[in-house]
Amino acid sequence: MHHPSAAAIDRALYGIPAGARGATPPGSPALERIRCMRRTMFVIPARLAPAIRSATVRDTHRHRADALTHLHKALGWDEHRYTAAERATLAALTSCGESTAAQLAIAIPDLRKQIVISPGKPYESRQRVSSTILGVLAAEGRIRRARPAGSWTSAQFRWAPAQPLPQIPAVEAKTTLARHYLKAFGPVTADDLKWWTGWNLTDTHRALAATGAQAVELDEAAGYLLPEDLDTRLDSPEPAAALLPGLDPTAMGWRRRDWYLDPDHTRALFDRNADPSPLRGRCTLGKAVDDQATAG
């Protein structure tokens, strides 16, 4: 997106609502939000979503098995009861197009039932069955998150029907993902790619080889570039600071960060999930912006 705007980003994320001018068809966003690399939520081009999901998501069937086990222990549900609630949820979403979890729970009594999460733990809590049912359907790609219910910062959002993404052969999918990663972040080390994707070392080396990546010398280890990027020369930019969103991938592309980040600052700027502060270049401090657009 070369000319972003609030309206353009909204259309890319959520598509054009039914009945709106230019809806062709509604519910066909250009971007997909899926949990993929390192089981983290990414926003990615819809055209790449099948390959990225196939390259990074494993054992999707276990979500359903885990949910069945949990609801059987908590509520005595069997597979028939679970399937009935799931079908009712899909039918309701198909009928209305989009709904929040709360709206679905009003229409489907089983979704209002509550279960205890982490019983006996200091963080014990209660949640509706709707969270479990919707979570599994989303993990299987049968529903997707739609527009937030409120402002763009709202944690409450609507759900909409979706078609599961097509499955791409794993070798092909991993090669595609590795190529796009190298194009965006190269030169990178094998350790960078392994960490960023969550692959094992064997799959990492196979994907690198399949892309035709060429070895280059880096200060800390051997690096890799795509063949077409070997002769690319970039002028050194003038020192500058660029403000980025809090979870922007720019500072998350590499496992080794010493070349742009003072090691003494790593703990202050990155949490255990490797989520960085929103600054690019030589990271020195972090800022956040609240709903009133004040920095602090």
Side-chain angles (χ1 to χ4, degrees), residues 95-274:
S95 175
C96 64
E98 293 183 358
S99 289
T100 65
Q103 290 168 336
L104 289 168
I106 292 174
I108 305 168
D110 270 348
L111 297 187
R112 296 198 296 268
K113 296 186 179 298
Q114 293 195 341
I115 55 178
V116 177
I117 303 300
S118 302
K121 303 290 186 181
Y123 42 86
E124 176 183 315
S125 62
R126 300 181 70 85
Q127 71 176 26
R128 285 180 169 179
V129 168
S130 58
S131 295
T132 302
I133 300 289
L134 293 170
V136 171
L137 289 172
E140 295 174 345
R142 299 164 72 187
I143 63 175
R144 63 176 177 84
R145 290 187 182 187
R147 284 180 171 81
S151 74
W152 65 273
T153 59
S154 173
Q156 302 296 320
F157 44 84
R158 299 174 179 86
W159 292 98
Q163 291 296 322
L165 295 171
Q167 189 70 24
I168 307 296
V171 172
E172 176 186 345
K174 290 179 179 180
T175 302
T176 297
L177 179 55
R179 169 166 283 278
H180 280 275
Y181 170 77
L182 283 162
K183 193 68 177 177
F185 295 104
V188 302
T189 66
D191 193 37
D192 289 329
L193 178 60
K194 175 181 179 293
W195 169 80
W196 191 79
T197 57
W199 297 337
N200 60 41
L201 195 57
T202 298
D203 287 347
T204 299
H205 283 299
R206 285 176 178 170
L208 280 171
T211 65
Q214 300 295 302
V216 295
E217 185 177 348
L218 301 178
D219 289 340
E220 67 274 16
Y224 295 90
L225 271 175
L226 293 174
E228 59 266 32
D229 293 333
L230 286 174
D231 296 327
T232 301
R233 299 184 64 87
L234 299 177
D235 295 330
S236 297
E238 293 295 325
L243 295 176
L244 302 173
L247 294 180
D248 190 272
T250 302
M252 297 174 67
W254 304 273
R255 179 68 179 88
R256 301 172 183 269
R257 304 185 178 98
D258 292 359
W259 59 273
Y260 73 87
L261 173 66
D262 187 327
D264 292 338
H265 297 162
T266 300
R267 182 173 296 180
L269 294 174
F270 287 82
D271 64 18
R272 289 179 296 178
N273 296 321

